[in-house]
Amino acid sequence: MTATPSAPAAAAPDAHRYLSQEAGVREDRRFVAGRGRYVADVTPPGTLHVGLVTSPHPHARIVDIDVAEALALPGVVAVLTGAELAKSTEPLRQYLDVPEVQWRPLAVDATRYAGEWVAAVVAESRALAEDGAELVVVDYEPLPHVMDPEVAARADAPLVHPTHGTNVMAHREFAWGDVAGGRARAGATTTVRTRWNRNSTVPLETFGVVAAWDPHRELLDVWASIQMPQFPDQLAGALRIPTNQVRVHFDIDVGGSYGVKRGIKHGVLAGFLARRLGAPVKLIEDRSENMHGGDFHGPDRVFEVELAYTADGEFTHLRIDVIDDEGAYPGRSPLQLAKPIGAIVGPYRIPSVEYNATAVTTNKTGQVAVRGFGQSPTNYAIEAAVDAAARDLGMDRLELRRRNFIQPEEFPYRIPSGTEYDSGDYPAVVDKAVRAADLPALIERRDAVRAEGGLAGIGFAACLEPSGGNAIFENVMNPRNDKTTFPEGCRIRVDGEGAVTAVVSISSAGQSHDTMVATLVGEELGVDPAGITVLRADSLAGFPSQSPVGSRMAIVLGQAIRGAADELKARLCAIGAHQLGLAPDEVRYDRGSVVAHADPDAAVGWRDLVAIAHRKQHLLPPGASPGLEVVHVAHTPRSGTLAEPDGTVQLYPCYSFEVHVVLAEIDPGTAKVELRDYVIGHDCGTVLNPEVVRGMVYGGTAHGIGVALYEQFAFNPDGQPLTQSFIDYLLPSAHEVPDIVDVEHCTPSPYTTFGQKGAGEAGYMGAPAAVAGAVNDALTARGAAPVHSLPITPSDIWSALRATREEGPQ
């Protein structure tokens, strides 16, 4: 994989001292050496282990649970059922007002998907716990079930939660702009129906948690591989203990996540058992438990997209109807239907939009926020409609996109749903990607394959990555929720020798936050990042954090770092000004020194400033406190207001942009897709660390390729999971991921500290749409219908080609 970096558009190459430099990634040292510390590495003395009894039925009443034989097994300490657990805990949090839908770690009265936890066996080893779980006898009475989200939405569908009275958990209809005028101005419309089937990030590390209760201090210590907002608060609430009695340790490495490491039911179960048994309790999922009982699947959506346009290809109106399958328990997943509102028109000028979003329950394992919080499926649906409109118009697909792009001079640009895009230069990014791909040569190669009787196609996708996520999507999907802030905090401490330490309260989920924090603190203070220590405080010693979600750390934590650095520099300036006999506004901070505005030779250096602050009270300004330690908590930029009644809202503060160009060949005999060339043009504003950002782009693109061609959690009509291991759930390997050329561009955001935007979801935002577009370009050239369901499998391609033969001359 290669990269072609470009100089920032709005900054000289030497504008930053440490940002945007080809520096190393500090986390790599311990990971490459095998020195990461994961939950599985944490085993306090006397730790007990959990084995799980899971339901074989998609929906069944629990008639009886016989645990006697399991309890008689030597080494088994306890067996816990859902009914017993429910007596002493609260239901897990739902983000919608659905009080009849109670979600608990262990099923009570009924199971609602195959793989749902029914009982927990605690033993002296994991092996014994598993043996004990096999001895638990559960008497089930099967109940009607529903697996298809569209069927689930019907009034006569089997009910997942009969007391709720419907499988529809949420339904909202929005209309923005002059809908009637947009439709009237159109010469034609194109309607596309797409399906984004279930997949996830399936990280190398399954979810794990260790909980230990200290009865003397009344403190629950938790080590978990989490990436979840408000995990400590929700854990305490479910366990009915004060929040200051739960201490979650964030100095644990997370072996892959991108949103799926929620694990609240795991934490509640382990925490309850630790308190009940008076011993540390460890729960580590095996792969099968993770894949179909861990509640970590991603979006499962059916889209209908109608795009209206004039005869010359100008977009005038967009309608998106979507049904999302949340699985048995909605949890936080319906909130993902709000995120597309902040980028509902993608990078295009579309003056009016209708958006109708429905969340339903089915008898499947639950959903969580997979990389992008549901934005990538919407990008795919929009781009599929743009490709279809180009086919109907007989227009070049890239030209149609260019014709409708928001132009650089139009930023900041307010889209119909009320969000204002911060900055961008979409044509410039496309130009760079097209040049890097050598598009004319790519077209020649595609056409040469076709001339020889082969199948080949070129795919394009132009997509946005909303970044700097805040909490307002909770209000959009549930107006009764009036939360408007999603803060992050940072502590900067300078010790008596002048060494700098930065303290944050987030888990290490693979996005190189140690490198990012050290780089930002170093840039703000003019101190070499290599000498800055970054620590992760636990949930009681730290500050408000919403975890690394929504491509927000560089933006919101960056804002907190800026605030802390400004406070620290103000304190240093006060000390320096006092030494120089000047007022604080007569000096400035300059890379570790305090310098007089009027005389640059009049300065107090770093060591002297530090010595005065820590040891020389007689030289401190009157009333100044000793030491150099500050804490700053920052809001998300451009946040703080609720959504209007019509749903208009400033949903995200910043918008990264990417364009994908891919050449695919398809073997006519096997229908296997080979990606021959792949170029992505990417703009995330000011790049903090080029190596980290490229890693995000490459990894996200590989993930998107998996979504497009390989990955799906499948079920049979009886509700049984068909993909319980990596034998059945296919992942792209190094053989399937082509060499990726990353072309970089920079349009800084005016709303962040250094112009940075998010990059944590890069690549994934557009790869599924681009790869699907390439496959469909090949199919439609043969007269076949495009495939609009992901992943596109060889059987899908074979069926599409066969249909053309069957419809041909007899």
Side-chain angles (χ1 to χ4, degrees), residues 397-434:
R397 290 169 292 156
L398 199 54
E399 173 57 29
L400 182 61
R401 286 173 168 84
R402 288 182 185 275
R403 188 167 297 188
N404 287 281
F405 276 154
I406 300 162
Q407 295 302 304
E409 64 274 11
E410 295 180 279
F411 288 97
Y413 183 88
R414 188 180 190 273
I415 65 174
S417 60
T419 287
E420 187 179 83
Y421 295 168
D422 55 332
S423 65
D425 190 341
Y426 307 154
V429 179
V430 171
D431 290 343
K432 286 186 175 183
V434 166

mmCIF file of all heavy atoms in Angstrom, residues 397-434:
data_model
loop_
_atom_site.group_PDB
_atom_site.id
_atom_site.type_symbol
_atom_site.label_atom_id
_atom_site.label_comp_id
_atom_site.label_asym_id
_atom_site.label_seq_id
_atom_site.Cartn_x
_atom_site.Cartn_y
_atom_site.Cartn_z
ATOM 1 N N ARG A 397 -20.655 8.646 -14.969
ATOM 2 C CA ARG A 397 -20.955 8.653 -13.522
ATOM 3 C C ARG A 397 -20.130 9.697 -12.768
ATOM 4 O O ARG A 397 -20.629 10.340 -11.840
ATOM 5 C CB ARG A 397 -20.685 7.262 -12.937
ATOM 6 C CG ARG A 397 -21.675 6.195 -13.390
ATOM 7 C CD ARG A 397 -21.197 4.812 -13.011
ATOM 8 N NE ARG A 397 -20.005 4.456 -13.768
ATOM 9 C CZ ARG A 397 -19.095 3.559 -13.365
ATOM 10 N NH1 ARG A 397 -19.242 2.957 -12.191
ATOM 11 N NH2 ARG A 397 -18.048 3.278 -14.118
ATOM 12 N N LEU A 398 -18.891 9.856 -13.151
ATOM 13 C CA LEU A 398 -18.052 10.835 -12.459
ATOM 14 C C LEU A 398 -18.472 12.256 -12.819
ATOM 15 O O LEU A 398 -18.479 13.150 -11.967
ATOM 16 C CB LEU A 398 -16.584 10.597 -12.820
ATOM 17 C CG LEU A 398 -15.537 11.197 -11.881
ATOM 18 C CD1 LEU A 398 -15.769 10.768 -10.447
ATOM 19 C CD2 LEU A 398 -14.135 10.803 -12.335
ATOM 20 N N GLU A 399 -18.857 12.466 -14.075
ATOM 21 C CA GLU A 399 -19.313 13.786 -14.490
ATOM 22 C C GLU A 399 -20.598 14.183 -13.770
ATOM 23 O O GLU A 399 -20.780 15.341 -13.378
ATOM 24 C CB GLU A 399 -19.540 13.803 -16.004
ATOM 25 C CG GLU A 399 -20.178 15.087 -16.534
ATOM 26 C CD GLU A 399 -19.383 16.342 -16.195
ATOM 27 O OE1 GLU A 399 -18.129 16.256 -16.065
ATOM 28 O OE2 GLU A 399 -20.003 17.417 -16.054
ATOM 29 N N LEU A 400 -21.505 13.222 -13.565
ATOM 30 C CA LEU A 400 -22.739 13.520 -12.849
ATOM 31 C C LEU A 400 -22.429 13.948 -11.415
ATOM 32 O O LEU A 400 -23.048 14.884 -10.890
ATOM 33 C CB LEU A 400 -23.655 12.301 -12.850
ATOM 34 C CG LEU A 400 -25.017 12.478 -12.159
ATOM 35 C CD1 LEU A 400 -25.838 13.568 -12.831
ATOM 36 C CD2 LEU A 400 -25.789 11.151 -12.137
ATOM 37 N N ARG A 401 -21.471 13.302 -10.812
ATOM 38 C CA ARG A 401 -21.090 13.688 -9.451
ATOM 39 C C ARG A 401 -20.483 15.093 -9.440
ATOM 40 O O ARG A 401 -20.845 15.936 -8.609
ATOM 41 C CB ARG A 401 -20.104 12.668 -8.883
ATOM 42 C CG ARG A 401 -20.747 11.337 -8.504
ATOM 43 C CD ARG A 401 -19.718 10.287 -8.105
ATOM 44 N NE ARG A 401 -20.348 9.132 -7.474
ATOM 45 C CZ ARG A 401 -20.893 8.110 -8.142
ATOM 46 N NH1 ARG A 401 -20.884 8.112 -9.476
ATOM 47 N NH2 ARG A 401 -21.457 7.100 -7.485
ATOM 48 N N ARG A 402 -19.563 15.333 -10.350
ATOM 49 C CA ARG A 402 -18.936 16.664 -10.416
ATOM 50 C C ARG A 402 -19.984 17.758 -10.604
ATOM 51 O O ARG A 402 -19.903 18.830 -10.008
ATOM 52 C CB ARG A 402 -17.940 16.713 -11.576
ATOM 53 C CG ARG A 402 -16.654 15.919 -11.381
ATOM 54 C CD ARG A 402 -15.778 16.136 -12.604
ATOM 55 N NE ARG A 402 -14.567 15.347 -12.618
ATOM 56 C CZ ARG A 402 -13.432 15.696 -12.015
ATOM 57 N NH1 ARG A 402 -13.369 16.817 -11.321
ATOM 58 N NH2 ARG A 402 -12.356 14.919 -12.099
ATOM 59 N N ARG A 403 -20.956 17.495 -11.429
ATOM 60 C CA ARG A 403 -21.969 18.495 -11.745
ATOM 61 C C ARG A 403 -22.784 18.891 -10.522
ATOM 62 O O ARG A 403 -23.300 20.004 -10.438
ATOM 63 C CB ARG A 403 -22.888 17.944 -12.842
ATOM 64 C CG ARG A 403 -23.867 18.941 -13.411
ATOM 65 C CD ARG A 403 -24.505 18.409 -14.687
ATOM 66 N NE ARG A 403 -23.511 18.202 -15.738
ATOM 67 C CZ ARG A 403 -23.796 17.891 -16.994
ATOM 68 N NH1 ARG A 403 -25.062 17.764 -17.368
ATOM 69 N NH2 ARG A 403 -22.844 17.708 -17.876
ATOM 70 N N ASN A 404 -22.879 17.993 -9.561
ATOM 71 C CA ASN A 404 -23.731 18.245 -8.393
ATOM 72 C C ASN A 404 -22.953 18.479 -7.099
ATOM 73 O O ASN A 404 -23.566 18.667 -6.041
ATOM 74 C CB ASN A 404 -24.693 17.070 -8.204
ATOM 75 C CG ASN A 404 -25.788 17.046 -9.248
ATOM 76 O OD1 ASN A 404 -26.771 17.783 -9.156
ATOM 77 N ND2 ASN A 404 -25.605 16.220 -10.278
ATOM 78 N N PHE A 405 -21.613 18.475 -7.168
ATOM 79 C CA PHE A 405 -20.831 18.721 -5.964
ATOM 80 C C PHE A 405 -21.095 20.117 -5.394
ATOM 81 O O PHE A 405 -21.264 21.097 -6.144
ATOM 82 C CB PHE A 405 -19.335 18.636 -6.254
ATOM 83 C CG PHE A 405 -18.767 17.239 -6.226
ATOM 84 C CD1 PHE A 405 -17.625 16.939 -6.958
ATOM 85 C CD2 PHE A 405 -19.351 16.241 -5.462
ATOM 86 C CE1 PHE A 405 -17.079 15.677 -6.939
ATOM 87 C CE2 PHE A 405 -18.805 14.960 -5.442
ATOM 88 C CZ PHE A 405 -17.671 14.673 -6.181
ATOM 89 N N ILE A 406 -21.094 20.215 -4.073
ATOM 90 C CA ILE A 406 -20.988 21.517 -3.412
ATOM 91 C C ILE A 406 -19.616 22.076 -3.750
ATOM 92 O O ILE A 406 -18.608 21.370 -3.662
ATOM 93 C CB ILE A 406 -21.150 21.351 -1.888
ATOM 94 C CG1 ILE A 406 -22.520 20.730 -1.569
ATOM 95 C CG2 ILE A 406 -20.970 22.681 -1.165
ATOM 96 C CD1 ILE A 406 -22.613 20.138 -0.173
ATOM 97 N N GLN A 407 -19.554 23.333 -4.161
ATOM 98 C CA GLN A 407 -18.306 23.911 -4.625
ATOM 99 C C GLN A 407 -17.525 24.561 -3.484
ATOM 100 O O GLN A 407 -18.104 24.972 -2.466
ATOM 101 C CB GLN A 407 -18.590 24.938 -5.720
ATOM 102 C CG GLN A 407 -19.197 24.328 -6.975
ATOM 103 C CD GLN A 407 -18.317 23.249 -7.590
ATOM 104 O OE1 GLN A 407 -17.148 23.484 -7.903
ATOM 105 N NE2 GLN A 407 -18.875 22.051 -7.749
ATOM 106 N N PRO A 408 -16.206 24.655 -3.623
ATOM 107 C CA PRO A 408 -15.364 25.180 -2.527
ATOM 108 C C PRO A 408 -15.806 26.554 -2.032
ATOM 109 O O PRO A 408 -15.779 26.811 -0.815
ATOM 110 C CB PRO A 408 -13.965 25.237 -3.155
ATOM 111 C CG PRO A 408 -13.997 24.261 -4.275
ATOM 112 C CD PRO A 408 -15.395 24.237 -4.788
ATOM 113 N N GLU A 409 -16.211 27.421 -2.942
ATOM 114 C CA GLU A 409 -16.581 28.777 -2.536
ATOM 115 C C GLU A 409 -17.920 28.823 -1.794
ATOM 116 O O GLU A 409 -18.283 29.861 -1.228
ATOM 117 C CB GLU A 409 -16.644 29.692 -3.759
ATOM 118 C CG GLU A 409 -17.706 29.337 -4.786
ATOM 119 C CD GLU A 409 -17.245 28.307 -5.814
ATOM 120 O OE1 GLU A 409 -16.162 27.706 -5.611
ATOM 121 O OE2 GLU A 409 -17.968 28.114 -6.810
ATOM 122 N N GLU A 410 -18.651 27.717 -1.764
ATOM 123 C CA GLU A 410 -19.955 27.696 -1.101
ATOM 124 C C GLU A 410 -19.867 27.343 0.393
ATOM 125 O O GLU A 410 -20.879 27.392 1.096
ATOM 126 C CB GLU A 410 -20.879 26.706 -1.802
ATOM 127 C CG GLU A 410 -21.222 27.095 -3.235
ATOM 128 C CD GLU A 410 -22.142 26.082 -3.897
ATOM 129 O OE1 GLU A 410 -21.647 25.037 -4.362
ATOM 130 O OE2 GLU A 410 -23.360 26.337 -3.925
ATOM 131 N N PHE A 411 -18.667 26.983 0.858
ATOM 132 C CA PHE A 411 -18.535 26.624 2.279
ATOM 133 C C PHE A 411 -18.376 27.865 3.136
ATOM 134 O O PHE A 411 -17.752 28.830 2.712
ATOM 135 C CB PHE A 411 -17.335 25.690 2.465
ATOM 136 C CG PHE A 411 -17.551 24.311 1.924
ATOM 137 C CD1 PHE A 411 -17.096 23.963 0.664
ATOM 138 C CD2 PHE A 411 -18.231 23.363 2.666
ATOM 139 C CE1 PHE A 411 -17.293 22.700 0.147
ATOM 140 C CE2 PHE A 411 -18.440 22.094 2.157
ATOM 141 C CZ PHE A 411 -17.977 21.756 0.900
ATOM 142 N N PRO A 412 -18.872 27.834 4.378
ATOM 143 C CA PRO A 412 -19.669 26.758 4.979
ATOM 144 C C PRO A 412 -21.027 26.620 4.293
ATOM 145 O O PRO A 412 -21.661 27.626 3.968
ATOM 146 C CB PRO A 412 -19.803 27.185 6.441
ATOM 147 C CG PRO A 412 -19.621 28.666 6.421
ATOM 148 C CD PRO A 412 -18.671 28.953 5.297
ATOM 149 N N TYR A 413 -21.466 25.378 4.123
ATOM 150 C CA TYR A 413 -22.651 25.087 3.319
ATOM 151 C C TYR A 413 -23.714 24.420 4.201
ATOM 152 O O TYR A 413 -23.453 23.389 4.824
ATOM 153 C CB TYR A 413 -22.292 24.167 2.158
ATOM 154 C CG TYR A 413 -23.437 23.869 1.222
ATOM 155 C CD1 TYR A 413 -23.710 24.710 0.144
ATOM 156 C CD2 TYR A 413 -24.249 22.757 1.414
ATOM 157 C CE1 TYR A 413 -24.774 24.448 -0.712
ATOM 158 C CE2 TYR A 413 -25.310 22.481 0.569
ATOM 159 C CZ TYR A 413 -25.567 23.337 -0.493
ATOM 160 O OH TYR A 413 -26.622 23.081 -1.342
ATOM 161 N N ARG A 414 -24.888 25.013 4.226
ATOM 162 C CA ARG A 414 -25.982 24.466 5.035
ATOM 163 C C ARG A 414 -26.842 23.547 4.180
ATOM 164 O O ARG A 414 -27.387 23.947 3.151
ATOM 165 C CB ARG A 414 -26.841 25.591 5.613
ATOM 166 C CG ARG A 414 -27.889 25.133 6.634
ATOM 167 C CD ARG A 414 -28.694 26.336 7.139
ATOM 168 N NE ARG A 414 -29.546 26.003 8.277
ATOM 169 C CZ ARG A 414 -30.779 25.520 8.180
ATOM 170 N NH1 ARG A 414 -31.321 25.325 6.977
ATOM 171 N NH2 ARG A 414 -31.487 25.257 9.272
ATOM 172 N N ILE A 415 -26.955 22.284 4.615
ATOM 173 C CA ILE A 415 -27.783 21.333 3.880
ATOM 174 C C ILE A 415 -29.223 21.426 4.386
ATOM 175 O O ILE A 415 -29.492 22.027 5.430
ATOM 176 C CB ILE A 415 -27.232 19.899 4.013
ATOM 177 C CG1 ILE A 415 -27.315 19.400 5.469
ATOM 178 C CG2 ILE A 415 -25.798 19.835 3.510
ATOM 179 C CD1 ILE A 415 -26.910 17.941 5.635
ATOM 180 N N PRO A 416 -30.194 20.852 3.669
ATOM 181 C CA PRO A 416 -31.598 21.048 4.047
ATOM 182 C C PRO A 416 -31.945 20.613 5.471
ATOM 183 O O PRO A 416 -32.839 21.177 6.099
ATOM 184 C CB PRO A 416 -32.351 20.196 3.015
ATOM 185 C CG PRO A 416 -31.463 20.191 1.827
ATOM 186 C CD PRO A 416 -30.073 20.161 2.370
ATOM 187 N N SER A 417 -31.229 19.616 6.012
ATOM 188 C CA SER A 417 -31.556 19.127 7.351
ATOM 189 C C SER A 417 -30.988 20.001 8.451
ATOM 190 O O SER A 417 -31.101 19.656 9.642
ATOM 191 C CB SER A 417 -31.053 17.689 7.522
ATOM 192 O OG SER A 417 -29.647 17.630 7.338
ATOM 193 N N GLY A 418 -30.400 21.128 8.100
ATOM 194 C CA GLY A 418 -29.996 22.107 9.092
ATOM 195 C C GLY A 418 -28.527 22.096 9.457
ATOM 196 O O GLY A 418 -28.031 23.049 10.066
ATOM 197 N N THR A 419 -27.809 21.045 9.118
ATOM 198 C CA THR A 419 -26.388 20.976 9.434
ATOM 199 C C THR A 419 -25.575 21.782 8.427
ATOM 200 O O THR A 419 -25.867 21.770 7.233
ATOM 201 C CB THR A 419 -25.917 19.509 9.439
ATOM 202 O OG1 THR A 419 -26.421 18.867 10.609
ATOM 203 C CG2 THR A 419 -24.405 19.408 9.452
ATOM 204 N N GLU A 420 -24.558 22.437 8.940
ATOM 205 C CA GLU A 420 -23.669 23.221 8.089
ATOM 206 C C GLU A 420 -22.347 22.488 7.951
ATOM 207 O O GLU A 420 -21.673 22.219 8.937
ATOM 208 C CB GLU A 420 -23.444 24.602 8.712
ATOM 209 C CG GLU A 420 -22.679 25.574 7.839
ATOM 210 C CD GLU A 420 -22.515 26.928 8.518
ATOM 211 O OE1 GLU A 420 -21.582 27.056 9.338
ATOM 212 O OE2 GLU A 420 -23.329 27.825 8.246
ATOM 213 N N TYR A 421 -21.990 22.125 6.700
ATOM 214 C CA TYR A 421 -20.678 21.534 6.444
ATOM 215 C C TYR A 421 -19.617 22.617 6.635
ATOM 216 O O TYR A 421 -19.795 23.754 6.210
ATOM 217 C CB TYR A 421 -20.583 21.003 5.017
ATOM 218 C CG TYR A 421 -21.493 19.842 4.680
ATOM 219 C CD1 TYR A 421 -21.673 19.452 3.352
ATOM 220 C CD2 TYR A 421 -22.167 19.108 5.657
ATOM 221 C CE1 TYR A 421 -22.482 18.383 3.004
ATOM 222 C CE2 TYR A 421 -22.984 18.042 5.324
ATOM 223 C CZ TYR A 421 -23.140 17.682 3.991
ATOM 224 O OH TYR A 421 -23.949 16.617 3.650
ATOM 225 N N ASP A 422 -18.504 22.244 7.252
ATOM 226 C CA ASP A 422 -17.517 23.255 7.640
ATOM 227 C C ASP A 422 -16.624 23.713 6.492
ATOM 228 O O ASP A 422 -16.428 24.905 6.282
ATOM 229 C CB ASP A 422 -16.650 22.736 8.795
ATOM 230 C CG ASP A 422 -15.978 21.407 8.482
ATOM 231 O OD1 ASP A 422 -16.521 20.624 7.685
ATOM 232 O OD2 ASP A 422 -14.910 21.136 9.061
ATOM 233 N N SER A 423 -16.056 22.793 5.722
ATOM 234 C CA SER A 423 -15.129 23.172 4.656
ATOM 235 C C SER A 423 -14.946 21.994 3.724
ATOM 236 O O SER A 423 -15.252 20.847 4.065
ATOM 237 C CB SER A 423 -13.767 23.599 5.235
ATOM 238 O OG SER A 423 -13.134 22.501 5.881
ATOM 239 N N GLY A 424 -14.406 22.252 2.554
ATOM 240 C CA GLY A 424 -14.123 21.174 1.616
ATOM 241 C C GLY A 424 -13.788 21.698 0.239
ATOM 242 O O GLY A 424 -14.112 22.839 -0.112
ATOM 243 N N ASP A 425 -13.121 20.858 -0.518
ATOM 244 C CA ASP A 425 -12.842 21.126 -1.926
ATOM 245 C C ASP A 425 -12.960 19.794 -2.653
ATOM 246 O O ASP A 425 -11.963 19.145 -2.972
ATOM 247 C CB ASP A 425 -11.447 21.732 -2.108
ATOM 248 C CG ASP A 425 -11.232 22.247 -3.528
ATOM 249 O OD1 ASP A 425 -11.989 21.828 -4.435
ATOM 250 O OD2 ASP A 425 -10.295 23.049 -3.733
ATOM 251 N N TYR A 426 -14.197 19.379 -2.862
ATOM 252 C CA TYR A 426 -14.454 18.061 -3.426
ATOM 253 C C TYR A 426 -13.879 17.898 -4.834
ATOM 254 O O TYR A 426 -13.277 16.859 -5.137
ATOM 255 C CB TYR A 426 -15.954 17.762 -3.415
ATOM 256 C CG TYR A 426 -16.613 17.925 -2.057
ATOM 257 C CD1 TYR A 426 -17.971 18.220 -1.953
ATOM 258 C CD2 TYR A 426 -15.888 17.803 -0.865
ATOM 259 C CE1 TYR A 426 -18.589 18.368 -0.716
ATOM 260 C CE2 TYR A 426 -16.494 17.960 0.374
ATOM 261 C CZ TYR A 426 -17.845 18.244 0.439
ATOM 262 O OH TYR A 426 -18.448 18.396 1.663
ATOM 263 N N PRO A 427 -14.018 18.901 -5.730
ATOM 264 C CA PRO A 427 -13.438 18.731 -7.064
ATOM 265 C C PRO A 427 -11.924 18.511 -7.030
ATOM 266 O O PRO A 427 -11.390 17.712 -7.802
ATOM 267 C CB PRO A 427 -13.806 20.040 -7.784
ATOM 268 C CG PRO A 427 -15.023 20.522 -7.078
ATOM 269 C CD PRO A 427 -14.817 20.150 -5.641
ATOM 270 N N ALA A 428 -11.232 19.204 -6.130
ATOM 271 C CA ALA A 428 -9.777 19.058 -6.054
ATOM 272 C C ALA A 428 -9.386 17.652 -5.631
ATOM 273 O O ALA A 428 -8.421 17.075 -6.158
ATOM 274 C CB ALA A 428 -9.186 20.082 -5.087
ATOM 275 N N VAL A 429 -10.117 17.092 -4.668
ATOM 276 C CA VAL A 429 -9.812 15.736 -4.213
ATOM 277 C C VAL A 429 -10.070 14.737 -5.332
ATOM 278 O O VAL A 429 -9.280 13.811 -5.560
ATOM 279 C CB VAL A 429 -10.644 15.387 -2.963
ATOM 280 C CG1 VAL A 429 -10.337 13.966 -2.496
ATOM 281 C CG2 VAL A 429 -10.356 16.368 -1.834
ATOM 282 N N VAL A 430 -11.170 14.919 -6.060
ATOM 283 C CA VAL A 430 -11.469 14.037 -7.189
ATOM 284 C C VAL A 430 -10.383 14.148 -8.252
ATOM 285 O O VAL A 430 -9.920 13.136 -8.796
ATOM 286 C CB VAL A 430 -12.850 14.365 -7.782
ATOM 287 C CG1 VAL A 430 -13.075 13.599 -9.085
ATOM 288 C CG2 VAL A 430 -13.946 14.027 -6.786
ATOM 289 N N ASP A 431 -9.951 15.363 -8.540
ATOM 290 C CA ASP A 431 -8.899 15.546 -9.548
ATOM 291 C C ASP A 431 -7.632 14.791 -9.167
ATOM 292 O O ASP A 431 -6.994 14.142 -10.017
ATOM 293 C CB ASP A 431 -8.583 17.027 -9.726
ATOM 294 C CG ASP A 431 -9.712 17.789 -10.420
ATOM 295 O OD1 ASP A 431 -10.571 17.141 -11.040
ATOM 296 O OD2 ASP A 431 -9.717 19.042 -10.340
ATOM 297 N N LYS A 432 -7.254 14.877 -7.891
ATOM 298 C CA LYS A 432 -6.046 14.180 -7.448
ATOM 299 C C LYS A 432 -6.203 12.665 -7.570
ATOM 300 O O LYS A 432 -5.271 11.961 -7.990
ATOM 301 C CB LYS A 432 -5.727 14.563 -5.999
ATOM 302 C CG LYS A 432 -5.163 15.961 -5.826
ATOM 303 C CD LYS A 432 -4.752 16.205 -4.384
ATOM 304 C CE LYS A 432 -4.079 17.567 -4.228
ATOM 305 N NZ LYS A 432 -3.612 17.808 -2.841
ATOM 306 N N ALA A 433 -7.369 12.169 -7.174
ATOM 307 C CA ALA A 433 -7.594 10.726 -7.243
ATOM 308 C C ALA A 433 -7.605 10.234 -8.688
ATOM 309 O O ALA A 433 -7.029 9.178 -9.005
ATOM 310 C CB ALA A 433 -8.909 10.375 -6.554
ATOM 311 N N VAL A 434 -8.231 10.994 -9.560
ATOM 312 C CA VAL A 434 -8.295 10.601 -10.974
ATOM 313 C C VAL A 434 -6.906 10.597 -11.602
ATOM 314 O O VAL A 434 -6.552 9.685 -12.371
ATOM 315 C CB VAL A 434 -9.257 11.542 -11.727
ATOM 316 C CG1 VAL A 434 -9.092 11.396 -13.234
ATOM 317 C CG2 VAL A 434 -10.700 11.256 -11.312
#
